[in-house]
Amino acid sequence: MKFINPYFIAVTTLLAVSCTSQKETSSLKDVYKDDFYIGTALSADQIEEKDAKEDSLICKEFNAITAENIMKSMFIHPQKDKYDFALADKFVAFGEKNKMFIHGHTLIWHSQLAPWMEKIKDSTEMKAFMKDHITTIVTKYKGRINSWDVVNEALNEDGTLRKSVFLNTLGERYLVDAYKLAAAADPKVDLYYNDYNLEDTAKREGVIRLVKKIKAAGGKIDGIGSQAHWKLNSPSIEEIEKSILAYSALGVKVAFTELDITVLPNPWDLKGADVNQNFENNAKMNPYPKSLPDSVQNKLAQRYAAIFKLFLKHKDKISRVTFWGVHDGQSWLNDWPIKGRTNYPLLFDAKLQPKKAYNSVMEIKAVKE
Ligand code: G3I
């Protein structure tokens, strides 16, 4: 019998370890496996698996993915007769390889449009655009993408419809058309409406009206995605709960699709603050450039614990909880609403280490529900 060096076996086994074959210690996705999917948004670099450490963290902790930017219309449909599916293909392949729930973000959104789309002038052109755009993209990933944000951020804060190139050219019917086109292209995929501040009363009522209208007009809508870009002290747990109950009463799934919690001051909260004033390099507005003090770490951990406790209470209504990014270093909140700050909104720090907030989300499951 040929002798095989045990060291060689150990090394090759280590090299062969992939996402799906990792020997798991406990992780978010395992701890919450009977409750809802635990997702993350992936940057282009993460989709391309450029950093092995990030890649392995993604695989260990999450079982659902959303592309943070690359499926938005300016990237996927840059010119009228040109689609670019290169990164979207990699994103879907990444999810399939790792047996993850794959969410598509987003088909119809007024922002990050390709310049040519902004110039669509009338209803005929817009109808043709929507048919081509939605049908082409949804058909391309039919049976491979599990759910889509069909329409993103169509509402103003008072619950009325936001002015956009879609509303301006087609009127309200663009909403129903979008859901009908998506359902025709893939009848089995779950179709979501996705927006932020959905815990505010006026916007909540706007979403309820919108979903009812789509359903009444024969559109298929399966879920509401609350983006959940939240703060340490708002929205209140009571308002979040009211929304979960109100949305699920419509007979649709509820997902939290872009969860993060800012710990930094907001220029709009400052009395008399001029939002046009230059806040960059202002120490007051960027109080923790090096590290987050324990007192704030604790507040963040408590806030996440309270939120996940509520999610567990309503796990029968919640399909997915997705964080908007893997770690603090990649968060959009480092650059918004003020560029170049250091924010700490997620469960992993910029060095990929779990924070107190991670432990608190894990520990909630150890407490009897
Ligand atoms: O790719 C360019 C890069 O080439 C360039 O050097 C760099 C300079 O600033 O910009 C890069 O593009 C940025 C892009 O993110 C990729 O990082 C854009 O400037 C920046 O505006 C863009 O921001 C994205 C934002 O959507 C755009 O609206 C954020 O990453 C993304 O997290 C954010 O996500 C949205 C959701 O889609 C919808 N809900 C709200 C959420 C947060 O705004």
Side-chain angles (χ1 to χ4, degrees):
M1 204 172 108
K2 214 170 156 187
F3 173 75
I4 302 175
N5 182 340
Y7 173 76
F8 174 77
I9 297 177
V11 169
T12 47
T13 312
L14 212 72
L15 289 175
V17 167
S18 74
C19 222
T20 42
S21 63
Q22 270 183 42
K23 177 89 190 97
E24 305 286 4
T25 52
S26 68
S27 69
L28 292 166
K29 73 169 188 206
D30 291 337
V31 164
Y32 284 89
K33 70 177 187 314
D34 297 326
D35 307 316
F36 31 73
Y37 286 106
I38 298 280
T40 186
L42 299 185
S43 67
D45 282 355
Q46 288 162 343
I47 290 166
E48 299 211 79
E49 301 178 58
K50 290 206 172 149
D51 182 314
K53 281 193 190 140
E54 286 188 27
D55 191 30
S56 113
L57 184 68
I58 293 162
C59 296
K60 177 168 180 261
E61 299 288 345
F62 303 100
N63 53 16
I65 51 170
T66 304
E68 186 179 0
N69 282 300
I70 57 99
M71 293 186 110
K72 293 171 181 174
S73 41
M74 68 184 286
F75 299 113
I76 210 164
H77 195 176
Q79 288 161 32
K80 192 171 180 187
D81 300 318
K82 189 183 159 213
Y83 285 89
D84 182 349
F85 290 118
L87 276 172
D89 283 350
K90 285 187 184 172
F91 165 73
V92 174
F94 180 92
E96 287 178 332
K97 179 173 78 174
N98 298 309
K99 301 190 171 52
M100 290 166 161
F101 181 96
I102 306 174
H103 180 71
H105 173 77
T106 172
L107 294 167
I108 297 295
W109 187 27
H110 65 278
S111 183
Q112 285 183 287
L113 287 170
W116 71 270
M117 294 171 189
E118 309 263 16
K119 293 185 192 134
I120 296 175
K121 270 190 224 71
D122 57 31
S123 62
T124 313
E125 256 187 84
M126 182 53 84
K127 267 192 225 161
F129 159 72
M130 290 211 354
K131 184 158 193 230
D132 177 54
H133 185 77
I134 295 176
T135 311
T136 305
I137 299 171
V138 177
T139 306
K140 161 111 177 131
Y141 298 111
K142 182 177 177 179
R144 299 176 69 199
I145 281 194
N146 303 93
S147 59
W148 273 106
D149 289 331
V150 177
V151 177
N152 196 42
E153 301 174 7
L155 294 173
N156 295 314
E157 296 311 285
D158 65 359
T160 58
L161 286 179
R162 179 198 287 274
K163 279 197 176 149
S164 68
V165 67
F166 312 110
L167 189 69
N168 296 348
T169 51
L170 275 181
E172 277 188 36
R173 65 165 289 183
Y174 92 83
L175 292 154
V176 180
D177 287 358
Y179 285 86
K180 285 189 175 168
L181 286 163
D186 185 351
K188 290 194 185 143
V189 72
D190 270 356
L191 305 179
Y192 276 75
Y193 173 72
N194 194 51
D195 210 331
Y196 57 85
N197 289 350
L198 293 199
E199 292 69 34
D200 292 353
T201 311
K203 218 159 171 185
R204 176 163 57 226
E205 282 164 9
V207 175
I208 293 169
R209 283 195 298 275
L210 188 145
V211 170
K212 284 185 174 165
K213 257 187 215 165
I214 293 169
K215 286 191 168 198
K220 173 181 175 285
I221 178 159
D222 305 289
I224 295 174
S226 163
Q227 293 183 3
H229 295 297
W230 291 337
K231 300 179 190 167
L232 280 174
N233 53 9
S234 79
S236 69
I237 294 297
E238 291 71 29
E239 291 304 318
I240 301 172
E241 182 163 37
K242 269 192 209 165
S243 293
I244 296 174
L245 294 172
Y247 297 148
S248 79
L250 293 167
V252 297
K253 296 173 188 173
V254 179
F256 293 91
T257 56
E258 306 184 10
L259 177 59
D260 49 27
I261 297 171
T262 180
V263 300
L264 296 186
N266 184 333
W268 290 288
D269 288 343
L270 298 180
K271 266 209 172 125
D274 173 3
V275 289
N276 297 316
Q277 132 186 14
N278 186 4
F279 287 108
E280 281 160 44
N281 305 320
N282 175 337
K284 247 197 205 160
M285 300 310 286
N286 189 23
Y288 322 118
K290 297 249 155 60
S291 65
L292 192 62
D294 275 351
S295 59
V296 191
Q297 288 282 16
N298 290 338
K299 273 191 199 156
L300 185 69
Q302 284 159 11
R303 175 76 166 142
Y304 266 116
I307 288 168
F308 271 79
K309 206 169 155 198
L310 179 73
F311 289 169
L312 282 172
K313 181 175 171 195
H314 294 294
K315 63 185 183 185
D316 57 321
K317 307 168 189 73
I318 297 175
S319 52
R320 176 171 55 92
V321 176
T322 288
F323 293 87
W324 206 236
V326 178
H327 62 88
D328 288 343
Q330 87 180 87
S331 172
W332 72 292
L333 288 169
N334 293 310
D335 284 317
W336 191 90
I338 299 170
K339 259 198 175 302
R341 296 197 294 179
T342 308
N343 209 332
Y344 302 83
L346 298 166
L347 300 189
F348 295 93
D349 68 20
K351 291 184 178 147
L352 310 185
Q353 295 308 303
K355 294 155 62 180
K356 276 193 181 158
Y358 174 89
N359 298 337
S360 74
V361 169
M362 294 289 276
E363 279 158 16
I364 280 294
K365 278 293 291 182
V367 180
K368 206 167 174 289
E369 280 166 40

